[in-house]
């Protein structure tokens, strides 16, 4: 008699449980590299802050030009104080342009350093995990190697380790960076105008 297959709901429950266990184990492995992950996320936050500073200075330059062309209200610096009305607009715009350029250079330098840190983190993960897997293989019995194909073992050493590196680099760091960036941008937008922020988010 052929046994009845498990119902779809049971198979789905087993799959969900195995996925949860797998994700939990991967998070536990990623926790070993938490210091480097935190460093990368903090550097990404600094990059976001520099980008916001550049946007703020760009808006300030537009306000200075509008005041010179249309006679609008005296623009304010990002920290709230007004620009002296007797300052000529051209030197002010030139100074703002130089400040934006300096921020862009600083941002590029920090982004380069962050790329190096991420690359070093990825290589550390690959080297350490492959070393751990190799040490584990050295302690396994001959029965294990008789029961498992060599291709499967090689895939564990090469493919699964690479997948773990991608999980830390491309999932954990990216998710944390995106969430923190969204929080910073949202706070910045709300500080400028609540109504426009809500209108911008209405279609999200």
């Amino acid at each position: 008699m052929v046994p009845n297959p498990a119902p779809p709901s049971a198979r789905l429950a087993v799959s969900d449980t195995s996925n949860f266990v797998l994700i939990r184990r991967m998070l536990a492995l990623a926790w070993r590299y938490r210091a480097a992950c935190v460093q990368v996320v903090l550097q990404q936050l600094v990059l976001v802050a520099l980008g916001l500073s550049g946007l703020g200075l760009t808006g300030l330059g537009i306000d200075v030009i509008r005041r010179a062309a249309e006679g609008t209200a005296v623009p304010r610096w990002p920290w709230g104080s007004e620009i002296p009305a007797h300052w000529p607009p051209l030197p002010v715009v030139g100074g703002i342009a130089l400040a934006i350029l300096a921020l862009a250079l600083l941002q590029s330098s920090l982004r380069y350093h962050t790329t190096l840190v991420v690359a070093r983190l990825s290589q550390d993960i690959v080297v350490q995990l492959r070393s751990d897997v190799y040490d584990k293989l050295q302690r396994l019995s001959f029965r294990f190697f008789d029961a498992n194909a060599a291709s499967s073992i090689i895939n564990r050493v090469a493919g699964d380790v690479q997948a773990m590196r991608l999980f830390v680099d491309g999932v954990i760091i990216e998710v944390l960076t995106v969430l923190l960036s969204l929080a910073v941008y949202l706070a910045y937008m709300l500080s400028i105008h609540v109504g426009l922020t809500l209108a911008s988010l209405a279609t999200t």
Side-chain angles (χ1 to χ4, degrees), residues 33 36-37 40 116-126 168 173:
Y33 308 94
C37 291
V40 172
L116 294 181
V117 173
V118 172
R120 190 179 302 115
L121 170 62
S122 300
Q123 293 304 314
D124 289 344
I125 292 173
V126 170
V168 174
I173 293 179

Side-chain angles (χ1 to χ4, degrees), residues 169-193:
D169 181 16
V171 177
I172 293 181
I173 293 179
E174 288 296 327
V175 168
L176 291 176
T177 301
V178 168
L179 291 178
L180 292 174
S181 299
L182 287 176
V184 172
Y185 276 107
L186 182 60
Y188 179 74
M189 292 168 65
L190 289 173
S191 67
I192 296 177
H193 198 287

Side-chain angles (χ1 to χ4, degrees), residues 81-160:
S81 60
E82 291 185 353
I83 297 178
H86 62 277
W87 284 13
L90 187 59
V92 173
V93 173
I96 293 173
L98 290 177
I100 294 174
L101 177 61
L103 286 176
L105 294 176
L106 181 60
Q107 192 174 13
S108 299
S109 176
L110 183 58
R111 184 176 289 110
Y112 173 76
H113 182 265
T114 303
T115 302
L116 294 181
V117 173
V118 172
R120 190 179 302 115
L121 170 62
S122 300
Q123 293 304 314
D124 289 344
I125 292 173
V126 170
V127 172
Q128 183 62 47
L129 289 183
R130 284 183 178 171
S131 177
D132 292 344
V133 173
Y134 181 77
D135 291 339
K136 177 66 175 180
L137 291 175
Q138 297 299 308
R139 296 191 297 270
L140 295 175
S141 63
F142 287 105
R143 184 180 304 171
F144 171 82
F145 294 98
D146 291 338
N148 294 274
S151 59
S152 176
I153 298 175
I154 294 174
N155 183 60
R156 292 282 185 177
V157 177
D160 289 2

Side-chain angles (χ1 to χ4, degrees), residues 24-88:
R24 187 175 62 184
R25 291 182 63 185
M26 294 180 74
L27 288 174
L29 287 172
W31 182 254
R32 296 166 57 180
Y33 308 94
R34 57 189 180 276
C37 291
V38 170
Q39 179 184 357
V40 172
V41 171
L42 291 178
Q43 289 178 340
Q44 292 289 347
L45 280 178
V46 175
L47 288 173
V48 172
L50 292 175
L52 285 177
S53 299
L55 291 176
L57 289 176
T58 301
L60 179 62
I62 293 174
D63 291 340
V64 172
I65 294 174
R66 285 188 60 195
R67 173 173 172 75
E70 302 175 3
T72 56
V74 178
R76 295 178 176 272
W77 295 110
W79 49 86
S81 60
E82 291 185 353
I83 297 178
H86 62 277
W87 284 13

